[in-house]
C-alpha cells in the first residue's frame, strides 16, 4: 500500500509499504478514507523530527472497517468508524487510577505504531469508534481534535451562562468556540490577530471577536465584558505570547485552560502573572483526549454533536489533497505566508 513515511525534519516521503494485517483476535482493519494534519504534526515536521525514522505518520483519521478479528464485537465489516489514536500502558499509577491521559507511557499512532497517513490501518477494537452514516468521513477524521477540546472543557466545568474567552482561532480555537456554544456559554469572545479566522469564529458562534494585533487583549475583554475578566479563558493558539496573556483574561475566581502547546519558552510579564494571585485563578492544563472508560465520554459527545450538526467541521477544512501530495502540504505549513486551516488527505484519490 501507499503511505507517508516520516524520516527527519522536513523529510516526509510517499512510498510503498507493507499492508498491515490482523494479528490478534481483538483487532480491526480499517480502509482509511480521510486523514488530517494535526497542529502537533506541523511542529514535529518543522522542528523536532520523527520518534522513529521512517515510521508511517498521522493520527487523525476515519474510514471503513474491512476486516475484524474473531473476538471483535463492537464494530462490523462495512461500518464507518473513527479512531482514538492513543495507547496507554495500563500499568503506571495514572492508568491504575484510570486517568489514561496522564499515562506515563502514553503514545499515539505515528510515533511507534504505524499511523494513519496510509491506505490501511489496524487497531485494537477499544480504539475504534463507530460513526453514524450522516457524518462524512472527513468530518469523522476530526473527532479526535474535537475530543482534545472537550477533554479540557470538562476540567473547567463550564456552566451555562458563563463568559468564555478563547485566544487563538485556528482549528482548535474554533472547535472551542463551538463547544462553548454547546455548553451554553452566555458570552463567547474570540481573540486572534487574523481577521479571516475571527470572521469564521463569528460564523461558528462567537458573540464578540477581537483582533489583538496592536491591542492588549485583557483591556479589550474588560471593554466588552462589563469591566471585568471572563469566567473561563481558553488558550488555544499555543504561542509563547498568548500563553502568557491567557492569565490576564480571566476575572476574579476565574479558570484558565491551556489546550495549546507552545514550542518556545513562555516568559510571563508580572502584570499577567499577578492575576493568578490577585484573582485567585484556577489554572488547568489539558493533555490528549481520553478518559475512562477508554476512550472516554469525549468520544461519545463529539460523535453525537457532529451527527446533530452542532459541531460543524466543514468550514474548518481548507485543503483537500491526495496522500501523494503530502510533502507539498507539509512544506506549505512551514511557509509563513501560507493561509490554511485543517488539511485533509484522501488516500483513495490519485
Amino acid at each position: 500500500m501507499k503511505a507517508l513515511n516520516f524520516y527527519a525534519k522536513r523529510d516526509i516521503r510517499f512510498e510503498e509499504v507493507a499492508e498491515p494485517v490482523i494479528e490478534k483476535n481483538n483487532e480491526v482493519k480499517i480502509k482509511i478514507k480521510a486523514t488530517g494534519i494535526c497542529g502537533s504534526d506541523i511542529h514535529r515536521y518543522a522542528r523536532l523530527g520523527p520518534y522513529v525514522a521512517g515510521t508511517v505518520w498521522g493520527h487523525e483519521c476515519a474510514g471503513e472497517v474491512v476486516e475484524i478479528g474473531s473476538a471483535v464485537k463492537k464494530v462490523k465489516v462495512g461500518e464507518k468508524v473513527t479512531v482514538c489514536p492513543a495507547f496507554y500502558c495500563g500499568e503506571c499509577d495514572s492508568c491504575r487510577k484510570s486517568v489514561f491521559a496522564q499515562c506515563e507511557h502514553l503514545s499515539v499512532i505515528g510515533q511507534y505504531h504505524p499511523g494513519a497517513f496510509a491506505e490501511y490501518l489496524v487497531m485494537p477494537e477499544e480504539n475504534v469508534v463507530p460513526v453514524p452514516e450522516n457524518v462524512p468521513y472527513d468530518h469523522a477524521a476530526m473527532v479526535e481534535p474535537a475530543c482534545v477540546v472537550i477533554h479540557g472543557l470538562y476540567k473547567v466545568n463550564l456552566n451555562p451562562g458563563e463568559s468564555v474567552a478563547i485566544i487563538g482561532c485556528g482549528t482548535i480555537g474554533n472547535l472551542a468556540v463551538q463547544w462553548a456554544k454547546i455548553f451554553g456559554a452566555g458570552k463567547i469572545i474570540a481573540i486572534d490577530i487574523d481577521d479571516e479566522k475571527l470572521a469564521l469564529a463569528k460564523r461558528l458562534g462567537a458573540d464578540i471577536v477581537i483582533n489583538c494585533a496592536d491591542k492588549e487583549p485583557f483591556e479589550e475583554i474588560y471593554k466588552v465584558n462589563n469591566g471585568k475578566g471572563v469566567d473561563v479563558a481558553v488558550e488555544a493558539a499555543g504561542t509563547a505570547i498568548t500563553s502568557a496573556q491567557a492569565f490576564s483574561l480571566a476575572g476574579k475566581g476565574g479558570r484558565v485552560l491551556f489546550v495549546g502547546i507552545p514550542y518556545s519558552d513562555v516568559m510571563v510579564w508580572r502584570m499577567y502573572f499577578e492575576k493568578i494571585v490577585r484573582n485567585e485563578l484556577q489554572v488547568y492544563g489539558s493533555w490528549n483526549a481520553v478518559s475512562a472508560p477508554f476512550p472516554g465520554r469525549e468520544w461519545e459527545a463529539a460523535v453525537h454533536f457532529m451527527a446533530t450538526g452542532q459541531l460543524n467541521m466543514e468550514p474548518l477544512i481548507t485543503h483537500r489533497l491526495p496522500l501523494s501530495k503530502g510533502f507539498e502540504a507539509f512544506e506549505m505549513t512551514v511557509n509563513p505566508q501560507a493561509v490554511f486551516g485543517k488539511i485533509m488527505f484522501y488516500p483513495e484519490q490519485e
Side-chain angles (χ1 to χ4, degrees), residues 7-141:
Y7 285 90
K9 288 188 293 183
R10 298 184 73 170
D11 184 1
I12 187 168
R13 307 175 197 173
F14 183 61
E15 298 179 322
E16 188 74 30
V17 301
E19 186 174 312
V21 298
I22 288 179
E23 298 178 347
K24 299 178 182 178
N25 64 6
N26 70 334
E27 291 182 331
V28 177
K29 184 174 181 178
I30 301 160
K31 184 175 179 61
I32 301 298
K33 300 285 189 175
T35 178
I37 295 179
C38 174
S40 64
D41 294 336
I42 294 170
H43 288 292
R44 187 154 287 277
Y45 178 78
R47 301 185 184 197
L48 303 175
Y51 287 85
V52 179
T55 301
V56 178
W57 206 17
H59 63 269
E60 298 179 1
C61 66
E64 178 186 349
V65 175
V66 293
E67 186 182 349
I68 59 175
S70 59
V72 172
K73 294 180 171 43
K74 186 167 69 172
V75 297
K76 59 184 183 295
V77 171
E79 192 164 5
K80 182 182 290 187
V81 297
T82 187
V83 171
C84 172
F87 294 119
Y88 60 94
C89 74
E91 298 177 356
C92 68
D93 289 344
S94 296
C95 285
R96 286 198 291 267
K97 297 172 185 175
S98 294
V99 188
F100 299 124
Q102 296 175 22
C103 170
E104 295 287 349
H105 307 286
L106 192 73
S107 66
V108 299
I109 58 175
Q111 294 179 348
Y112 309 105
H113 183 287
F117 290 160
E119 293 182 87
Y120 293 94
L121 177 69
V122 170
M123 292 293 287
E125 178 184 20
E126 72 170 348
N127 292 73
V128 181
V129 180
V131 175
E133 277 303 316
N134 71 319
V135 178
Y137 281 111
D138 47 13
H139 294 195

Side-chain angles (χ1 to χ4, degrees), residues 99-284:
V99 188
F100 299 124
Q102 296 175 22
C103 170
E104 295 287 349
H105 307 286
L106 192 73
S107 66
V108 299
I109 58 175
Q111 294 179 348
Y112 309 105
H113 183 287
F117 290 160
E119 293 182 87
Y120 293 94
L121 177 69
V122 170
M123 292 293 287
E125 178 184 20
E126 72 170 348
N127 292 73
V128 181
V129 180
V131 175
E133 277 303 316
N134 71 319
V135 178
Y137 281 111
D138 47 13
H139 294 195
M142 295 181 66
V143 168
E144 193 268 352
C147 290
V148 167
V149 177
I150 192 175
H151 180 74
L153 289 178
Y154 280 145
K155 291 178 180 294
V156 299
N157 192 30
L158 177 59
N159 295 305
E162 289 190 310
S163 56
V164 180
I166 297 152
I167 187 163
C169 295
T171 298
I172 294 298
N174 274 321
L175 284 168
V177 168
Q178 295 185 69
W179 276 124
K181 194 80 170 178
I182 289 168
F183 274 62
K187 183 182 291 182
I188 303 170
I189 304 168
I191 307 168
D192 204 285
I193 58 173
D194 185 317
D195 285 332
E196 288 189 21
K197 291 180 179 179
L198 289 170
L200 180 55
K202 186 78 171 178
R203 175 181 167 190
L204 293 173
D207 299 297
I208 299 166
V209 297
I210 297 171
N211 188 318
C212 65
D214 55 358
K215 301 173 184 175
E216 183 60 57
F218 82 88
E219 293 178 354
E220 300 303 308
I221 289 283
Y222 283 30
K223 290 177 185 177
V224 299
N225 197 45
N226 303 318
K228 59 184 180 181
V230 295
D231 297 304
V232 176
V234 180
E235 199 295 311
T239 71
I241 187 168
T242 54
S243 296
Q245 289 171 334
F247 295 118
S248 68
L249 306 181
K252 299 289 185 181
R255 290 97 78 199
V256 182
L257 172 65
F258 288 90
V259 179
I261 306 171
Y263 285 83
S264 56
D265 292 342
V266 178
M267 309 304 291
V268 184
W269 290 358
R270 182 196 61 79
M271 71 169 178
Y272 293 159
F273 193 84
E274 194 175 64
K275 299 287 187 181
I276 302 172
V277 177
R278 290 186 178 273
N279 286 347
E280 296 195 325
L281 301 181
Q282 299 173 67
V283 180
Y284 296 84

